[in-house]
Amino acid sequence: MRQASLGIRSGALALFILTFLCLANAGMAQRHEQPPPPTGPWMNTSLSPDERAELVLKEMTLDEKIAILHGVGMPTDEPVTPENAASNRGVGYDVGVPRLGIPGIDMSDAAYGVRSSGVNGRYSTALPANVAAAASWDPNAAFEYGALIGHELRAQGFNMSLGGGVDITREPRNGRTFEYLGEDPVLAGTLVAKLIEGTQSAHVIGDIKHYAFNDQESGRNSVNIHIGERAARESDLLAFEIGVEKGHPAAVMCSYNRVNGDFACENKWLLTDVLKKDWHFPGFVVSDWGGTHSTEKASAAGLDNEQPGSIFYADKFKAAVNAGTIPMAELDGHVRRILRSMFAAGIIDFPRQRSVIDPFAGFETSRKIEEGGIVLLKNDHATLPLIPSRLHTVAVIGSHSDVGMISGGGSAQVDPIGGNAIMPPGKGATHWQEEIWFPTSPLKAIQARAPKATVTYDPGTDPAAAAAAAKGADVAIVFAYMWESEGMDLPSLSLPHNQDAVIAAVAAANPHTIVVLETGSPVTMPWVDAPAAILEAWYSGSDGANAVGNILFGSVNPSGKLPNTFPRSEADLPHPTVTTPPPESDHFSGPVAPEVRAAGLPPFQVSYDEGIKVGYKWYEAEKKPVLFPFGFGLSYTTYGYSDLSVAPGDSVKTTFTVTNTGPRAGSEIAEVYATLPAAAGEPFKRLVGFAKLKLDSKEKRTMTVDIDRKYLSIFDETTHGWSLVPGVYTILVGGSSQDLPLKATINLK
Ligand code: BGC
């Protein structure tokens, strides 16, 4: 018997753990005293953040300016030192300007929840993976996602979030696909902007990362990405552009990789020309952890803050200022940006107040976002929703679905309350690259919704045993998972651990087989025709099992749609294999001297020769059929589209009617695509807008989606700006990238 089943699932122990965590948190709050509130002319809140920053800057000594440019190590992993003693023991700490009452910046990873809480005796909610939020196509859900993270950061004593990942899915085998928001820049950019807005609404510095083209983990610290300006601006960078312009993050984290020769964190084109000049980004650029590789070059390129340490931005920086190789004005520029962001995000006017955290308060938000993001991929013969009165026997199979659901790993990892569901209870902290299962049991959720049925469990490790367990049951529900994490890429898009064979065997034994996928990336499905129904549940968060239960039994109608194409096979991807680094460029393997690593490992080359054709644009242009297209997702009801009209203006107004033609209330994501005039040279459509609307059965709603003209434009490499190609545009509207019943043309200039 698994030890986990002895403990965490018993109410008494859960109460004990809750009490322990609350007391631990309260105790730490008492020991960690708040600094006195800052005073000085910069506390005049009628001044702008820039004016306030300027007033502080004028008072600062050279040493204080240098001190605010870098971190003091990673407090979570290191013993208490004089430098990090005042920190909140997150992954990064910047000392601020104590003499002037300017607080330190306490940074925590927070991709889908606050990281490293267990080790600090705290607790945080795991939201569904970011890709699940993207599958909701719901800007309001993205705001709530960010706001929950912001509030829990503050309550735990942090004032800066390291979340907001938005590298688009060029390489679906990227081990961080779950941390990102899909393959389309308009969808990803719109949602990340809302997420950042939500986080910063809690007076926490929000960031957007990893800027830019950190689309594979293999050799991420040395890979040199080649991409042309137009392709870069219309794809990955457009997601960042929308995120920066609409979400106003106070910080941007530059990525580990090189782009067209230079490391992203010392790349003048990325940091200064595009980010600071073209997008008018007023905040500060922070390096990814250990992503700084120089002093003068990085500073001149636009890197403002080195994290987590101080190899290049402390003594070496001061020496460069004293020697005149870095002008004082350049140093002041970095400091001004950091201070300005602190004022703009409100971390000075609204100092964090630690509080005792209710570990269950976030469950409802987490569950609702998951319910909105689960995608129903297949539902033959209306197998779903399940009707409890018709169920006598249910076979639940695979993926530890008796005790938990998987989560995404790496620096995004959130600690489950009580520890990993498949390990001994009480193991508060998680460990790097360990599969972490949240104690949210699908088996229990199913049993609770079919109380009269006999619900059995089979671990799904042996196809024959799983088939025997499924045979004769009214329904067999197979949970299949693919774990992914920062620091690795997936070897392939095939389900690991022989799960393809298990699903095939179960589906052959029972015609009423339902597959529930727990993955961050698309997976291939050699068995796709066999089961009656397929759900993509992603990494489902703290209360994932209840969300899945609500969808399976129909108390929630599925409404999520795919933010990433599911290809038929890896052979159809732009790059059939992930390019891996030669040994001398591999950061993750072998001992590399810290100085060598800091200076930068030798590059290896990856060319994004597919250019703009990312995701569905690639499959359309290359005429490759797919397993499930971008934007696809079924519902328990049906929708009809009618009456499209398109009118030019500052934005292009697209008006159409959506009708719920089926028997149940539901939420439909209406997707608007455009194809450009032939002169644009882009023979594939692009997403230019979307809206999620709730409709009762038979209800019809007319709505208008305003298309930003930038989303219809191309990036002109001669003027280095967006340009609308005059001519005829086709606007397409419908419920999936491959199901667009409405079509209209419009002449634009
Ligand atoms: C990751 C970042 C993360 C940082 C701090 C890096 O390895 O790439 O996403 O914020 O570590 O943990």
Side-chain angles (χ1 to χ4, degrees), residues 109 115 176 209-210 220 253 256 288-289 411 486:
D109 278 307
R115 180 194 181 190
R176 303 187 84 170
K209 71 184 184 184
H210 308 88
R220 67 177 183 183
M253 183 191 289
Y256 285 128
D288 200 344
W289 268 224
S411 61
E486 176 182 347

Side-chain angles (χ1 to χ4, degrees), residues 561 629-634 639-641 668-671 673 685 732-742:
K561 296 199 175 172
F630 174 79
F632 174 78
L634 300 170
Y639 302 97
Y641 284 79
E668 168 68 337
I669 297 158
E671 304 168 32
Y673 295 82
K685 61 183 169 292
L732 302 143
V733 180
S736 152
S737 65
Q738 290 193 8
D739 181 13
L740 298 164
L742 304 183

Side-chain angles (χ1 to χ4, degrees), residues 90 107 221 235 242 267 339 357 372 569 629 691:
M107 309 171 188
N221 298 72
S235 60
I242 299 169
N267 191 308
L339 291 169
I357 292 151
S569 91

Side-chain angles (χ1 to χ4, degrees), residues 133-275:
S136 77
W137 294 56
D138 184 348
N140 297 328
F143 181 92
E144 279 183 44
Y145 194 106
L148 186 139
I149 288 175
H151 284 108
E152 290 195 358
L153 282 166
R154 252 179 92 78
Q156 293 194 20
F158 294 107
N159 56 12
M160 176 163 172
S161 162
L162 306 173
V166 76
D167 299 70
I168 65 172
T169 313
R170 258 180 199 275
E171 175 44 78
R173 286 158 298 199
N174 176 5
R176 303 187 84 170
T177 303
F178 74 97
E179 278 188 66
Y180 298 136
L181 296 166
E183 67 191 24
D184 181 79
V186 171
L187 176 64
T190 306
L191 296 180
V192 84
K194 281 288 175 189
L195 184 147
I196 292 162
E197 222 183 88
T199 302
Q200 295 194 155
S201 72
H203 305 302
V204 161
I205 292 177
D207 92 323
I208 188 169
K209 71 184 184 184
H210 308 88
Y211 185 68
F213 305 101
N214 186 179
D215 302 331
Q216 66 174 60
E217 285 294 279
S218 307
R220 67 177 183 183
N221 298 72
S222 50
V223 64
N224 181 28
I225 300 299
H226 295 267
I227 186 163
E229 186 182 14
R230 174 170 170 188
R233 293 297 300 263
E234 287 186 34
S235 60
D236 307 47
L237 293 186
L238 179 56
F240 281 95
E241 178 168 0
I242 299 169
V244 166
E245 286 183 357
K246 299 201 166 157
H248 307 288
V252 169
M253 183 191 289
C254 51
S255 57
Y256 285 128
N257 50 288
R258 295 172 164 93
V259 180
N260 294 330
D262 288 329
F263 280 112
C265 289
E266 54 185 45
N267 191 308
K268 181 178 165 294
W269 174 66
L270 276 179
L271 303 186
T272 298
D273 301 347
V274 176
L275 177 67

Side-chain angles (χ1 to χ4, degrees), residues 264-411:
C265 289
E266 54 185 45
N267 191 308
K268 181 178 165 294
W269 174 66
L270 276 179
L271 303 186
T272 298
D273 301 347
V274 176
L275 177 67
K276 293 184 175 177
K277 291 199 175 144
D278 201 9
W279 300 346
H280 308 289
F281 171 65
F284 68 101
V285 178
V286 55
S287 74
D288 200 344
W289 268 224
T292 309
H293 298 292
S294 62
T295 305
E296 281 92 340
K297 181 173 178 185
S299 172
L303 177 69
D304 300 301
N305 190 280
E306 176 186 6
Q307 289 297 332
S310 54
I311 301 174
F312 297 103
Y313 268 43
D315 296 347
K316 288 184 184 161
F317 206 107
K318 186 175 173 186
V321 172
N322 285 332
T325 51
I326 294 183
M328 184 61 82
E330 193 172 294
L331 166 61
D332 285 352
H334 301 311
V335 177
R336 197 180 282 119
R337 282 175 176 274
I338 296 166
L339 291 169
R340 187 232 178 252
S341 294
M342 296 170 84
F343 284 112
I347 73 167
I348 297 174
D349 297 335
F350 303 90
R352 57 223 138 122
Q353 290 291 334
R354 289 211 200 156
S355 55
V356 174
I357 292 151
D358 173 354
F360 299 108
F363 270 47
E364 193 182 346
T365 304
S366 179
R367 193 193 70 244
K368 284 192 169 152
I369 295 173
E370 168 68 2
E371 287 167 351
I374 290 176
V375 184
L376 178 62
L377 294 172
K378 181 176 177 187
N379 193 18
D380 285 356
H381 317 298
T383 299
L384 293 175
L386 297 172
I387 299 166
S389 59
R390 294 197 195 146
L391 296 176
H392 303 288
T393 48
V394 179
V396 175
I397 297 164
S399 296
H400 304 291
S401 52
D402 55 339
V403 291
M405 296 187 81
I406 192 70
S407 59
S411 61

Side-chain angles (χ1 to χ4, degrees), residues 351-531:
R352 57 223 138 122
Q353 290 291 334
R354 289 211 200 156
S355 55
V356 174
I357 292 151
D358 173 354
F360 299 108
F363 270 47
E364 193 182 346
T365 304
S366 179
R367 193 193 70 244
K368 284 192 169 152
I369 295 173
E370 168 68 2
E371 287 167 351
I374 290 176
V375 184
L376 178 62
L377 294 172
K378 181 176 177 187
N379 193 18
D380 285 356
H381 317 298
T383 299
L384 293 175
L386 297 172
I387 299 166
S389 59
R390 294 197 195 146
L391 296 176
H392 303 288
T393 48
V394 179
V396 175
I397 297 164
S399 296
H400 304 291
S401 52
D402 55 339
V403 291
M405 296 187 81
I406 192 70
S407 59
S411 61
Q413 184 69 59
V414 172
D415 294 338
I417 183 168
N420 198 340
I422 62 161
M423 288 194 177
K427 219 173 138 267
T430 57
H431 296 107
W432 186 255
Q433 302 231 310
E434 187 178 63
E435 284 188 8
I436 305 294
W437 296 77
F438 269 70
T440 174
S441 157
L443 182 75
K444 283 188 174 176
I446 291 163
Q447 180 75 80
R449 286 161 181 79
K452 296 202 175 129
T454 302
V455 183
T456 61
Y457 175 69
D458 176 273
T461 43
D462 170 49
K471 204 171 173 65
D474 292 327
V475 64
I477 309 177
V478 189
F479 287 79
Y481 83 104
M482 183 154 74
W483 175 77
E484 64 189 33
S485 168
E486 176 182 347
M488 53 171 256
D489 289 323
L490 296 167
S492 79
L493 297 180
S494 300
L495 287 169
H497 313 308
N498 208 23
Q499 292 175 100
D500 282 338
V502 170
I503 295 171
V506 170
N510 189 322
H512 306 292
T513 293
I514 299 157
V515 176
V516 179
L517 295 167
E518 300 173 50
T519 76
S521 289
V523 286
T524 50
M525 303 181 199
W527 38 262
V528 68
D529 294 328

